[in-house]
Amino acid sequence: MIIAFDELKTDYKNPIDQCNTLNPLVLPEYLIHVFFCIMFLCATEWLSLGLNMPLLAYHVWRYMSRPVMSGPGLYDPTTIMNADILAFCQKEGWCKLAFYLLSFFYYLYGMIYVLVSS
Amino acid sequence: MSNTAAGYNSQNGEGKPPCSNGPIQNPVMTQAPGQGYNTVAQKMHPQHMPAKAPLEQPVGQYHYGCYQSAPPASVYQGPGQSAPPASVYQGPGQSAPPVSVYQGPGQTNMTRPPSRPLQPHQGGSARIAAPAQSSTPPPVSSNSFYPGSQIPPHSHWPYGTPPPMSQPSVGSPANHVTSAPSQPSGYGIQNSPPQGPPVPLNSSMQPGQSSGYRIQNSPPQGPPVPLNSSMQPGQPSGYGIQNSPPQGPPAPLNSSVQPGPAPPPFNPPSSQTYQPGRQPFGPPPPLRPAAPPTGQLNNAATPPPPAAAKQEVPGAERAHIHNSFDALESGGRNAAQHPPQMGRAVGLPYPSLPPGYQNMAAPPSAPGMQPRSQPYPAGAQSFQQAPLGPAQLGSALGGMSLHQSQPPEALRAINLLQERNLLPQGPVTPPVPCLPQDLQRLNCSPEVFRCTLTNIPQTQSLLNKAKLPLGLLLHPFRDMSQLPVVTSSTIVRCRSCRTYINPFVTFLDQRRWKCNLCYRVNEVPEEFMYNPVSRSYGEPHKRPEVQNPTIEFIAPSEYMLRPPQPAVYLFVLDVSHNAVETGYLDTVCQSLLDSLSLLPGDTRTKIGFITFDSTVHFYNLQEGLSQPQMLVVSDIEDIFIPTPDSLLVNLSECKELVQDLLKGLPQMFTRTLETQCALGPALQAAFKLLSPTGGRVSVFQTQLPSLGVGALKSREDPNQRASAKDIPHLTPATDFYKKLALDCSGQQIAVDLFLLSGQYCDLASLACISKYSAGGVHYYPSYHHLHNPAQVEQLQRDLKRYISRKIGFESVMRVRCTKGLSIHTFHGNFFVRSTDLLSLPNINPDSGFAVQMSIEENLVDMQVVSFQAALLYTSSKGERRIRVHTLCLPVVNSMADIFAGADVQAITGLLASMAVDRSVTASLSDARDALVNAAIDSLRAYRSGGLSVHQPGLVAPACLRLLPLYVVALLKQKAFRTGTSTRLDERVFAMCQLKYQPLAYLMLMIHPALYRVDNLTDEGAISIADRTIPQPAILQLSVEKLSRDGSFLMDSGSVLYLWVGRNCAPNFITQVLGVPNYTAIPQTMTQLPELDTAESTRTRAFISWLREQRPFYPILHVIREESPLKASFMQHMVEDRTESALSYYEFLLHLQQQVNK
């Protein structure tokens, strides 16, 4: 996703195409995240769940305040080229990437810890 | 014709990557027009046209084939038939089958389903269609797109085979024309007489409109002034010897600009723009104040006689030498490389430096600028004054020049609370950038290109400190009275950033130039060495490209991805009951009939009509028919085009049918009972009809669309209009119109919306169709042919202008700026294709753009920055043209300079656009707060910047003295006002206008001009073409300025109000209004009688002068004190207090409180 925005900024890829490739990916990402949260809830992993709640809330808010669109997704080709929105989307992408990476290693650590200790 | 058609065949299907067109071409720029064309048929965006996007081409193909068997006779007959019109229409109305082309009783329904099985046979049907096409003259039909797709690209460029760089004939007089004959007739624009004969021997061409500018070939006129000759009265030319006799006399402009008389012996044009003797320079070393040596060096390099002459030039004049372009950036370098030659001159510049300049403007790092300020007498203190020259600044300076006598006039502190009369007598004039005179003379006209800050801050932090918005306001396609046009097979551009060569580049030597945007050093192509103006060789710096900030190129073939499209116009008319009731059809059809011959275009021009109510009606206008045939498609859920190639017809060949249709159309629907309106399907049909070619769709709509896709619901609650704190529903209700607009944009279709409606139409949703397809929105609230005659006249006048104005098709605009600056946001009607590229399916002379800029890297080593807007478009005559505007502005590093260069009108325009965005994305109250904060912040920055002695009151610099007034005016604009009952549609329309009107008209809309007209005199009058036009003073917009015994004219851009006081002098009433007394003034009066009295002549001369200044004709309303229109007059009195809004004075107090906090 970051790559995509970078492309948009530097490589002059057509914003319509870009939004069309990105938009279908948004919902799956959110759903996977929700799925993880539910899993944590079932496993009563309160710490992990707590870590993920803010992002979950953010996702819900983000999707609620999306522009008027008939299809799924977040990104509107007419506004995406606005420097503010582009910068925001890029920043959002980086932050999420960092978060997902960190949480991945945390989950990995948790799994190994559980395996070793059991 | 057939040539052209062949061209189409080969072009449209070609799959070659855009870059393969040649090294010169800008990949993105050229991609643009083709975006739709190359990709459309096969590669549509998945979002498009939910059901049928991929089908549309095939559908056309298929139907053609299918309809071959359906004789036209079976098609429902349209107007003019023996059947009475009413019954003609009622046929479909009564019994329209759900899914069919209605073709009268007993016809076979051609329904959509059969088309699907046939789709695999597209290719075949295309072939079938092809022969038929020979009988259909218009070269562009959907058929022709198909065969081409199999053909390899390059072999089909009919012309572009020789790469432009390899054009032979160095310096040969004919070198520019040579390319022309090799072009096929379709593109051999230069050869055809109507476009203007090629100027002998060179590339300069004069099309009809560019009357003023002649690229002079005749000796007496002389070449256009060499860049710097005006600044070099005593400077002999480095090329003195080359200056052949024809160049002898200095161009008239030249001498008028000079501060002092030019000594005759030194007249030769004397351009030092490059010095042959110079060595190439490396990367720019830190600049050093050594411009004078440039001249010395020059002399050394030039033949002895001029050099000898120069020795006698007084020192002060010697400094003038450095006005050449290279002095801008390489003067210092030059000196650095030739220290021995510095000796004599180096001391000279400094003593004569104007002290004011040193103090105020010269940044320590920019000594390079100093020598350039020298031409001015030492008495000229202000750096602001530097560029002043009576001749070249002329009107642009106007009122400002009065103030220029005090050094930092623009910065003079004004206590707004005390000074009441802030408005200048005449129009507010933009500040002049403090550039050296020769550069300023070459700068782009402020009417075309304006920057909010004429002095660009060096860093973003400085800009943030000043709290002023940085942005450009553009009016790129403005009607120009003089526009140099160049035909050249090589358009010289920077190799890395693709900037077009412009007056602000630097010639390092005769062979190389340095880009002023990215600083890359480029070769001067051989062809460019020949100067068509002076017909001399080796003077690239005197070519028109380097002499004019605004220039138009006729683009060679590599700027096209397909052959230039013909002008295609499609009119989509609402014919539901509501529409017929307003009676607009008469007006539109009549206006079209009258102006049909004025439609811009050539022999390929095509026209078509669609009407719609609950069904969509097409009109078959194919040549050979005796009368137009109406085809009704009632399947609005799944719209299709019944006969793809006879609905858009060649205007010249089918003119009579078109005229028949226009005459009959208003009668056809007089008795309709259909109240539903299927705008969405009609637009889809229009999109499909035009997608093979692109073109312009004009939609006339009178009510909320209620059927099919894009149906809308009323969202406005009239009771909430006044009370609501925040206005909801400023955003579109559906994205159907936006998506369709994006599809249209991809196919080079622009949609202009004419909304004539008394009821709520949800313009916020509908306007999207125009906004993203680069169309325009026109709104006539409560239009009615009987009840509202003023609007009928308005519509007629607007349509006349609309139909006859220039138009550019399949265009893109790219805005480039010097490295370090970047584009933040665009405002206007367009689709942003990439960070700096706008896709504009159509461009018209009445649309403006705003660009917000930000500073990404510090501009420390630069004295000037440049902006270039390049508009690539296809003219209505089928020429591909590029219009390039270049603006050059100085860089400063102090707050004082930033404020001194602030352009209050441009700032207001940009703030308005930003506020519109804010009210759509956030809320109206946010936007209002942001406007107020913008005023507070900038005044506070001025105060805290230590730029003025702290004094009580609200202090503003003179150049920003009008900012609070304009902000207050904006807050009371229809778009942003609260508390007053404003219809949502009118509000949204005002927002649209704020976004896309050019600045000049925008300012009148925001802050109308008020004149007292009952006592017009010839004092101070100007005379244009033996008419004397009085110039009354502009009054403040306050009721206190009105008086009962006077009469006042308010000019709000699109409307003029003539307010007549109750006790107005009877003389005025009888002599100008032509009525006996005040009470006899009719309630609605929109015309002044043509009386043969001095008063009447003056008043009418003044009003018509006002009207001539704008494209759309403003209607005049004469109103009495108790007229119903009084409210709309009074709403413009922005300085007064209203129930819900502060008066100007109260607003100032509020500002003071905030600023001093």
Side-chain angles (χ1 to χ4, degrees):
Chain A
M1 194 166 285
I2 301 155
I3 296 172
F5 283 116
D6 204 50
E7 227 171 33
L8 208 54
K9 204 171 159 190
T10 55
D11 201 25
Y12 304 148
K13 198 173 168 188
N14 188 332
I16 299 180
D17 293 340
Q18 198 65 280
C19 287
N20 287 344
T21 52
L22 288 182
N23 277 332
L25 299 178
V26 173
L27 266 192
E29 183 207 327
Y30 288 8
L31 289 179
I32 290 171
H33 188 246
V34 170
F35 172 74
F36 268 84
C37 290
I38 293 171
M39 284 285 126
F40 288 135
L41 189 67
C42 296
T44 62
E45 287 281 346
W46 301 117
L47 180 62
S48 310
L49 189 62
L51 286 176
N52 277 291
M53 280 319 280
L55 187 63
L56 190 66
Y58 173 76
H59 281 168
V60 172
W61 170 81
R62 185 83 211 272
Y63 210 76
M64 299 293 275
S65 60
R66 72 189 190 126
V68 181
M69 291 173 72
S70 49
L74 281 178
Y75 306 106
D76 176 1
T78 56
T79 55
I80 193 76
M81 291 313 297
N82 182 314
D84 281 337
I85 295 180
L86 196 60
F88 173 80
C89 291
Q90 242 174 332
K91 218 178 286 169
E92 184 195 34
W94 279 114
C95 292
K96 276 209 244 175
L97 182 71
F99 179 82
Y100 286 143
L101 271 180
L102 285 178
S103 44
F104 171 75
F105 286 116
Y106 172 68
Y107 304 150
L108 202 67
Y109 164 79
M111 191 182 78
I112 293 170
Y113 184 81
V114 170
L115 286 179
V116 169
S117 61
S118 58
Chain B
M1 264 310 159
S2 57
N3 260 352
T4 327
Y8 270 94
N9 278 342
S10 60
Q11 275 316 303
N12 288 304
E14 77 176 356
K16 69 173 177 176
C19 296
S20 62
N21 278 334
I24 287 234
Q25 151 207 39
N26 171 359
V28 186
M29 195 72 159
T30 43
Q31 267 171 21
Q35 184 226 355
Y37 296 100
N38 271 347
T39 55
V40 183
Q42 277 76 16
K43 183 186 139 197
M44 294 283 290
H45 314 302
Q47 285 183 350
H48 289 192
M49 287 290 96
K52 292 185 300 194
L55 296 186
E56 86 220 291
Q57 289 270 357
V59 167
Q61 304 286 338
Y62 162 68
H63 275 277
Y64 192 100
C66 169
Y67 271 66
Q68 290 294 34
S69 60
S74 74
V75 172
Y76 195 82
Q77 292 286 322
Q81 205 189 357
S82 54
S87 69
V88 167
Y89 172 71
Q90 279 173 1
Q94 290 159 352
S95 61
V99 182
S100 73
V101 178
Y102 188 74
Q103 293 179 327
Q107 93 292 6
T108 52
N109 284 346
M110 259 162 274
T111 54
R112 194 177 180 80
S115 72
R116 294 207 164 120
L118 272 175
Q119 255 156 34
H121 307 298
Q122 294 156 9
S125 61
R127 248 171 276 131
I128 293 167
Q133 202 200 342
S134 59
S135 67
T136 323
V140 193
S141 95
S142 56
N143 302 329
S144 55
F145 283 95
Y146 267 84
S149 54
Q150 292 109 15
I151 303 176
H154 254 301
S155 60
H156 287 275
W157 277 118
Y159 33 79
T161 28
M165 293 284 283
S166 69
Q167 284 286 336
S169 63
V170 178
S172 139
N175 64 345
H176 295 98
V177 205
T178 41
S179 60
S182 70
Q183 299 184 349
S185 63
Y187 311 107
I189 291 141
Q190 302 93 321
N191 294 332
S192 59
Q195 274 98 23
V199 174
L201 308 177
N202 63 45
S203 60
S204 325
M205 266 187 33
Q206 277 319 110
Q209 83 272 25
S210 54
S211 58
Y213 183 91
R214 290 269 153 208
I215 297 188
Q216 301 94 335
N217 291 313
S218 59
Q221 288 177 311
V225 189
L227 295 186
N228 41 4
S229 58
S230 64
M231 301 282 289
Q232 302 178 333
Q235 167 60 21
S237 164
Y239 285 94
I241 279 174
Q242 290 184 9
N243 283 331
S244 49
Q247 289 184 327
L253 177 57
N254 190 0
S255 49
S256 66
V257 174
Q258 285 171 352
F266 306 127
N267 268 345
S270 69
S271 195
Q272 300 295 339
T273 312
Y274 58 81
Q275 286 104 20
R278 256 205 260 161
Q279 298 304 308
F281 308 118
L287 287 153
R288 290 173 45 187
T294 312
Q296 294 295 332
L297 166 64
N298 234 345
N299 277 336
T302 48
K310 191 193 166 202
Q311 302 289 331
E312 290 151 28
V313 177
E317 283 188 13
R318 199 176 298 176
H320 298 180
I321 296 159
H322 306 291
N323 293 316
S324 61
F325 278 143
D326 44 26
L328 258 187
E329 294 181 61
S330 59
R333 264 165 280 158
N334 193 11
Q337 296 213 349
H338 305 274
Q341 289 163 333
M342 289 175 65
R344 241 174 328 190
V346 76
L348 285 172
Y350 284 105
S352 62
L353 252 191
Y357 188 90
Q358 258 172 336
N359 300 339
M360 296 278 314
S365 63
M369 283 181 83
Q370 293 173 358
R372 283 178 282 136
S373 70
Q374 288 188 352
Y376 309 101
Q381 305 286 317
S382 153
F383 74 96
Q384 270 273 323
Q385 190 166 5
L388 278 190
Q392 90 270 29
L393 296 179
S395 62
L397 210 58
M400 291 291 280
S401 58
L402 295 175
H403 306 298
Q404 298 279 335
S405 51
Q406 290 177 359
E409 168 54 32
L411 284 177
R412 184 169 60 88
I414 292 181
N415 187 346
L416 296 176
L417 289 172
Q418 280 166 6
E419 291 204 33
R420 203 59 189 89
N421 290 316
L422 295 171
L423 286 175
Q425 289 285 301
V428 180
T429 47
V432 180
C434 66
L435 286 170
Q437 196 173 5
D438 58 339
L439 279 188
Q440 179 52 33
R441 190 170 52 78
L442 291 165
N443 227 343
C444 203
S445 152
E447 287 163 328
V448 172
F449 215 144
R450 253 166 106 163
C451 185
T452 56
L453 303 178
T454 45
N455 296 327
I456 304 288
Q458 219 170 41
T459 61
Q460 178 74 35
S461 62
L462 198 59
L463 176 63
N464 292 342
K465 238 162 69 187
K467 299 275 185 196
L468 292 170
L470 175 60
L472 304 169
L473 285 108
L474 279 161
H475 189 180
F477 204 54
R478 189 170 187 277
D479 287 322
M480 313 273 280
S481 56
Q482 48 175 35
L483 176 70
V485 179
V486 169
T487 312
S488 172
S489 55
T490 313
I491 294 177
V492 182
R493 302 175 66 179
C494 173
R495 277 191 169 273
S496 70
C497 67
R498 315 302 304 148
T499 301
Y500 296 83
I501 198 165
N502 60 68
F504 310 105
V505 301
T506 316
F507 280 95
L508 298 179
D509 56 38
Q510 211 165 350
R511 283 292 172 183
R512 291 171 317 136
W513 60 278
K514 192 163 141 204
C515 175
N516 54 335
L517 268 66
C518 69
Y519 301 113
R520 185 189 200 273
V521 176
N522 292 278
E523 298 275 312
V524 175
E526 202 52 60
E527 203 176 341
F528 203 72
M529 297 300 291
Y530 174 74
N531 182 0
V533 177
S534 59
R535 284 189 254 170
S536 53
Y537 181 75
E539 294 179 332
H541 55 288
K542 286 185 191 163
R543 287 198 37 128
E545 290 93 326
V546 198
Q547 291 286 330
N548 294 288
T550 293
I551 195 160
E552 191 152 289
F553 298 95
I554 309 249
S557 54
E558 60 263 34
Y559 290 83
M560 317 166 189
L561 274 189
R562 59 169 186 176
Q565 69 164 78
V568 181
Y569 305 102
L570 180 66
F571 293 87
V572 180
L573 306 163
D574 181 3
V575 292
S576 62
H577 178 76
N578 188 47
V580 174
E581 190 60 23
T582 62
Y584 87 92
L585 272 179
D586 286 305
T587 316
V588 171
C589 291
Q590 195 53 46
S591 300
L592 256 177
L593 264 181
D594 295 343
S595 317
L596 210 51
S597 55
L598 299 177
L599 265 178
D602 53 7
T603 51
R604 302 186 298 158
T605 306
K606 290 170 139 199
I607 193 166
F609 295 88
I610 292 179
T611 57
F612 63 96
D613 42 27
S614 62
T615 54
V616 179
H617 322 140
F618 298 86
Y619 295 88
N620 185 347
L621 300 166
Q622 196 165 22
E623 204 185 7
L625 292 177
S626 57
Q627 48 209 290
Q629 296 169 330
M630 183 162 87
L631 307 158
V632 179
V633 175
S634 52
D635 178 16
I636 56 170
E637 294 304 319
D638 196 11
I639 199 82
F640 61 99
I641 308 292
T643 57
D645 64 344
S646 57
L647 300 178
L648 272 182
V649 293
N650 189 306
L651 181 58
S652 51
E653 286 162 18
C654 304
K655 196 162 191 171
E656 280 166 18
L657 275 179
V658 171
Q659 283 168 338
D660 276 356
L661 176 66
L662 286 174
K663 282 176 196 151
L665 203 56
Q667 277 78 50
M668 287 165 65
F669 298 98
T670 43
R671 291 206 210 149
T672 181
L673 296 171
E674 193 56 73
T675 55
Q676 303 276 55
C677 152
L679 175 66
L683 285 174
Q684 284 180 329
F687 167 67
K688 288 183 184 179
L689 197 53
L690 285 194
S691 50
T693 50
R696 181 175 81 185
V697 180
S698 315
V699 182
F700 293 81
Q701 168 75 9
T702 62
Q703 57 173 323
L704 203 61
S706 55
L707 267 190
V709 281
L712 299 168
K713 290 195 185 64
S714 178
R715 298 189 289 167
E716 188 187 34
D717 179 2
N719 301 323
Q720 294 287 310
R721 273 183 204 152
S723 56
K725 178 86 182 94
D726 256 321
I727 311 296
H729 307 313
L730 290 173
T731 46
T734 162
D735 67 341
F736 167 77
Y737 294 98
K738 186 198 285 180
K739 279 180 168 178
L740 187 59
L742 293 185
D743 295 347
C744 287
S745 167
Q747 306 288 0
Q748 309 296 345
I749 302 165
V751 184
D752 290 330
L753 179 65
F754 288 81
L755 191 63
L756 316 106
S757 164
Q759 316 133 9
Y760 175 69
C761 277
D762 201 352
L763 188 60
S765 303
L766 291 185
C768 287
I769 188 78
S770 299
K771 203 181 276 176
Y772 301 112
S773 67
V777 181
H778 304 253
Y779 181 43
Y780 305 86
S782 59
Y783 180 91
H784 196 279
H785 66 300
L786 295 178
H787 305 156
N788 205 340
Q791 289 220 325
V792 175
E793 194 191 347
Q794 179 88 58
L795 178 64
Q796 279 168 347
R797 302 276 190 171
D798 285 5
L799 277 176
K800 187 167 182 216
R801 160 76 185 171
Y802 174 75
I803 291 167
S804 58
R805 73 186 176 189
K806 270 189 82 172
I807 184 168
F809 295 97
E810 43 184 4
S811 69
V812 286
M813 182 167 78
R814 168 150 287 174
V815 180
R816 296 183 174 86
C817 45
T818 298
K819 203 167 60 181
L821 292 168
S822 71
I823 291 167
H824 188 274
T825 312
F826 288 99
H827 300 278
N829 286 0
F830 47 70
F831 173 59
V832 191
R833 279 270 305 286
S834 78
T835 40
D836 58 352
L837 184 73
L838 303 182
S839 143
L840 305 163
N842 280 6
I843 179 78
N844 66 66
D846 304 324
S847 58
F849 303 90
V851 189
Q852 249 173 285
M853 313 283 305
S854 57
I855 302 172
E856 289 209 325
E857 296 163 34
N858 292 350
L859 309 168
V860 174
D861 290 333
M862 307 173 191
Q863 279 98 52
V864 291
V865 289
S866 305
F867 304 91
Q868 187 171 70
L871 180 76
L872 174 67
Y873 69 98
T874 303
S875 77
S876 51
K877 304 259 183 268
E879 294 166 296
R880 201 82 174 129
R881 287 172 168 241
I882 310 165
R883 192 176 288 190
V884 180
H885 306 282
T886 316
L887 178 73
C888 180
L889 295 174
V891 177
V892 297
N893 66 350
S894 79
M895 288 276 279
D897 295 338
I898 298 174
F899 275 98
D903 180 342
V904 69
Q905 289 195 315
I907 289 175
T908 313
L910 188 62
L911 282 179
S913 288
M914 289 160 70
V916 172
D917 270 4
R918 180 65 75 87
S919 46
V920 172
T921 54
S923 69
L924 194 67
S925 54
D926 260 24
R928 289 172 55 89
D929 290 348
L931 279 175
V932 178
N933 287 336
I936 294 173
D937 287 345
S938 52
L939 293 184
R940 191 185 283 157
Y942 173 72
R943 190 185 167 93
S944 62
L947 302 173
S948 63
V949 255
H950 278 264
Q951 44 175 298
L954 181 63
V955 183
C959 59
L960 287 181
R961 68 193 189 284
L962 293 176
L963 185 62
L965 177 60
Y966 286 152
V967 168
V968 131
L970 270 178
L971 293 176
K972 294 183 180 178
Q973 249 293 315
K974 266 186 194 156
F976 301 119
R977 68 185 180 192
T978 53
T980 326
S981 179
T982 309
R983 288 159 61 181
L984 191 52
D985 278 350
E986 291 188 17
R987 188 185 293 277
V988 173
F989 177 62
M991 289 186 173
C992 293
Q993 281 192 304
L994 287 178
K995 284 271 253 184
Y996 80 77
Q997 278 207 331
L999 187 64
Y1001 318 127
L1002 184 67
M1003 285 321 295
L1004 278 179
M1005 182 184 154
I1006 294 172
H1007 188 270
L1010 183 69
Y1011 310 92
R1012 180 164 187 159
V1013 289
D1014 59 321
N1015 53 0
L1016 289 179
T1017 61
D1018 283 345
E1019 194 181 327
I1022 54 172
S1023 74
I1024 298 171
D1026 33 297
R1027 282 184 314 155
T1028 310
I1029 294 142
Q1031 298 288 298
I1034 295 181
L1035 304 175
Q1036 284 148 16
L1037 292 171
S1038 166
V1039 175
E1040 96 188 65
K1041 294 286 167 188
L1042 299 180
S1043 72
R1044 288 247 159 116
D1045 52 0
S1047 161
F1048 295 85
L1049 182 76
M1050 180 188 282
D1051 173 14
S1052 72
S1054 54
V1055 192
L1056 298 173
Y1057 299 101
L1058 183 61
W1059 184 88
V1060 185
R1062 191 183 300 278
N1063 303 329
C1064 183
N1067 190 33
F1068 180 79
I1069 294 180
T1070 51
Q1071 304 288 306
V1072 176
L1073 300 177
V1075 290
N1077 54 42
Y1078 175 75
T1079 46
I1081 299 174
Q1083 279 288 342
T1084 51
M1085 183 174 177
T1086 55
Q1087 224 113 46
L1088 289 184
E1090 296 206 6
L1091 302 177
D1092 196 19
T1093 60
E1095 291 86 351
S1096 174
T1097 317
R1098 272 193 213 117
T1099 315
R1100 281 183 293 115
F1102 181 58
I1103 290 176
S1104 60
W1105 175 72
L1106 288 177
R1107 283 177 170 159
E1108 280 159 17
Q1109 292 173 350
R1110 61 209 62 173
F1112 288 105
Y1113 180 94
I1115 293 292
L1116 175 76
H1117 293 282
V1118 178
I1119 50 176
R1120 296 193 291 177
E1121 280 186 30
E1122 65 279 2
S1123 292
L1125 271 173
K1126 191 186 167 191
S1128 48
F1129 176 74
M1130 288 301 171
Q1131 73 180 2
H1132 292 299
M1133 292 295 175
V1134 295
E1135 295 200 13
D1136 291 333
R1137 182 160 211 255
T1138 64
E1139 292 150 24
S1140 53
L1142 298 177
S1143 73
Y1144 175 55
Y1145 191 74
E1146 289 165 330
F1147 181 69
L1148 287 181
L1149 289 179
H1150 174 68
L1151 285 189
Q1152 184 194 11
Q1153 220 176 19
Q1154 297 292 319
V1155 168
N1156 293 346
K1157 214 159 39 181

